[in-house]
Each structure stands twice: as structure tokens, then as C-alpha cells.
Amino acid sequence: MLSARTATKPVELILEELEKADGLEGLQTATEALCEHYKIDHVIYHWVDSAGEQYGCGTYSDTWRHRYLELNYLRIDPVIIGCFQRFHPVDWKRLDWSSKAARAFQADAISHGVGNQGFSVPIRGPNGQFALFTVNHSCDDDAWANWTDAQRRDLILIAHYFNQKALEFEPDRTPEQSRALSPREIDAMTLLAMGYSRAQVADTLSISEHTLRVYIESARFKLGALNTTHAVARAMSLGLIVV
């Protein structure tokens, strides 16, 4: 039975202890404490730093973690694939599980103790860092929807606490110099980050799609981005746009 609050250690105290952590052990301890606090099956934090190194902590079993790596599930995991293309928290039911490979992956995960419900918060950090904070549980859809609706704000806050602490562990991290975008480029990038289509962005800004394409390409060049999605992610991580 999911509970909004419990009599265990307050989440504020968990975050205070997380702030004092000086290594990965502190992140791991926080995931376990949050599981106990919210009475859910799993809490996971996974990030890729600016050098491409991957780190993680959480409450999945060692057996599942080893199997995930051994079978290279990263390439087909709908959570990773879907969240890398998003900027907002997402319930796993909204992701694409339609392929045979994705359904087989989900069945294997559940057989190894992963819950049938999940909620993930994607985070973009400086210099290309990408992270995911995930809560996971086994219950019916209605119970999960009610619980995530009640906890959504807390989960987003907790996710950013984790990411802030993880960034402290990056060696030789230096701030990246911001690149100035024009007001129109900022408007275009912001609307794209909010999920607008190019046609909707052009209509909202009262410009043609051709003109919009010029703004997007200019922003992409300034940000050194490979494509539009990458440009939006870099603009957000640099604080040039706020959604």
C-alpha cells in the first residue's frame, strides 16, 4: 500500500544528510532511506558525466544490475531512450513499450524484482551531463497515479538534490562559458523545450517555419549542438532557457 508520508526519517533530514555526503556511499544511503520513507520498492539515480563516465546508485538487486550490463539493455531500455528525448518528468506508462524487444526487457526486469510502475525525472547538467532519478514500485495503475500526483513536486526536488551532489564528485569540473542567444532564439528554444512542434512554435511567434529554421540553426551553431534536441538540452543545462 503506497503512503504519502510515513513515520520514518523525514525526507528533509534525508536531504540534509545527502548534502553532507562526501562520496558515492552517501548517495546510496539516501536511495535506501527514501525507499523506507515512501514505502516503495526502489529508488535509483544514474548519471553520465561530461567525460562520458557512467555512475549509479540505487536499490535494484546486484543480479539485475549485472544482467542489465551483460545483455547491454541500455540500447533497448524504453526508460533511457524515452527520457533522453524529454525534459520533463515522465511516468513509464507514457513511454514506448510496443516493440517485442521492449516487452521482453520489461518481463525480464519484473522477473528480477523491478516493479511494474515507474516515474523518472531526466536532468541535464553542465557540459553535457545527463542523469535520471527514478522511483519504482509494484501496484495497480490508479494507486500509482494517485501517489505520483501527490509526490511529484518532492520527487523533482529530490532529483535535483541528487544531481547537485553528484556533480561535486566530477573531477576537474569547471563552469562552461555561456554563449549569448538572441531573444528570438531563446523564444524558439524555450517553446521547443516545452514540447511545441515547429509549426506550433512558428505560429506562436508569428513567423514562418523558414524563419524559425534560421533561428534554430543559428542557436544550434552557437551551442555547438549536433541537432535540435541537443541544442535545447545544452541551452537548458547552461541556463540560457528556463522551462
Side-chain angles (χ1 to χ4, degrees):
M1 182 83 179
L2 287 167
S3 173
R5 287 289 183 267
T6 73
T8 58
K9 183 184 297 185
V11 69
E12 292 80 6
L13 180 56
I14 297 173
L15 295 180
E16 287 178 9
E17 293 174 350
L18 177 61
E19 285 184 345
K20 299 174 184 176
D22 57 4
L24 297 180
E25 297 80 4
L27 296 180
Q28 178 64 33
T29 299
T31 63
E32 296 166 3
L34 288 168
C35 276
E36 175 63 23
H37 174 78
Y38 287 114
K39 299 301 181 186
I40 54 178
D41 293 343
H42 297 293
V43 171
I44 306 94
Y45 176 74
H46 171 248
W47 82 97
V48 182
D49 69 16
S50 55
E53 295 293 328
Q54 297 189 53
Y55 305 87
C57 60
T59 57
Y60 287 154
S61 69
D62 289 340
T63 300
W64 172 241
R65 286 198 295 269
H66 293 155
R67 183 170 178 79
Y68 188 99
L69 295 172
E70 179 184 358
L71 297 180
N72 194 22
Y73 273 149
L74 185 70
R75 61 188 170 82
I76 61 171
D77 185 346
V79 178
I80 298 295
I81 296 170
C83 287
F84 191 73
Q85 300 170 346
R86 286 172 165 79
F87 301 93
H88 305 293
V90 61
D91 190 286
W92 286 7
K93 290 188 293 293
R94 292 179 173 269
L95 301 172
D96 183 6
W97 299 89
S98 60
S99 73
K100 183 177 179 180
R103 292 194 300 271
F105 162 76
Q106 184 180 43
D108 196 19
I110 290 174
S111 73
H112 282 82
V114 178
N116 65 313
Q117 307 284 0
F119 182 88
S120 293
V121 182
I123 310 163
R124 266 77 181 181
N127 306 316
Q129 184 237 13
F130 172 74
L132 271 183
F133 177 83
T134 293
V135 288
N136 175 260
H137 195 64
S138 292
C139 62
D140 62 57
D141 289 352
D142 288 341
W144 185 247
N146 291 334
W147 186 82
T148 53
D149 283 347
Q151 307 304 329
R152 184 183 181 90
R153 286 189 177 184
D154 274 6
L155 295 174
I156 293 172
L157 174 65
I158 292 167
H160 285 277
Y161 263 84
F162 266 82
N163 205 57
Q164 180 179 338
K165 177 53 62 174
L167 286 172
E168 294 179 10
F169 303 148
E170 278 204 52
D172 305 320
R173 181 169 68 91
T174 56
E176 185 168 313
Q177 185 176 3
S178 297
R179 300 163 177 79
L181 298 181
S182 73
R184 273 307 202 190
E185 290 165 356
I186 291 174
D187 290 341
M189 290 290 104
T190 299
L191 291 172
L192 289 171
M194 293 170 63
Y196 283 42
S197 68
R198 291 199 178 205
Q200 290 172 322
V201 173
D203 183 62
T204 300
L205 299 180
S206 299
I207 58 177
S208 69
E209 289 194 46
H210 173 76
T211 301
L212 173 64
R213 186 162 58 249
V214 172
Y215 289 139
I216 292 173
E217 287 303 304
S218 174
R220 188 178 66 81
F221 176 78
K222 290 178 180 179
L223 294 166
L226 300 175
N227 51 42
T228 303
T229 301
H230 189 204
V232 172
R234 288 184 68 80
M236 290 184 70
S237 68
L238 292 169
L240 301 179
I241 62 174
V242 178
V243 178

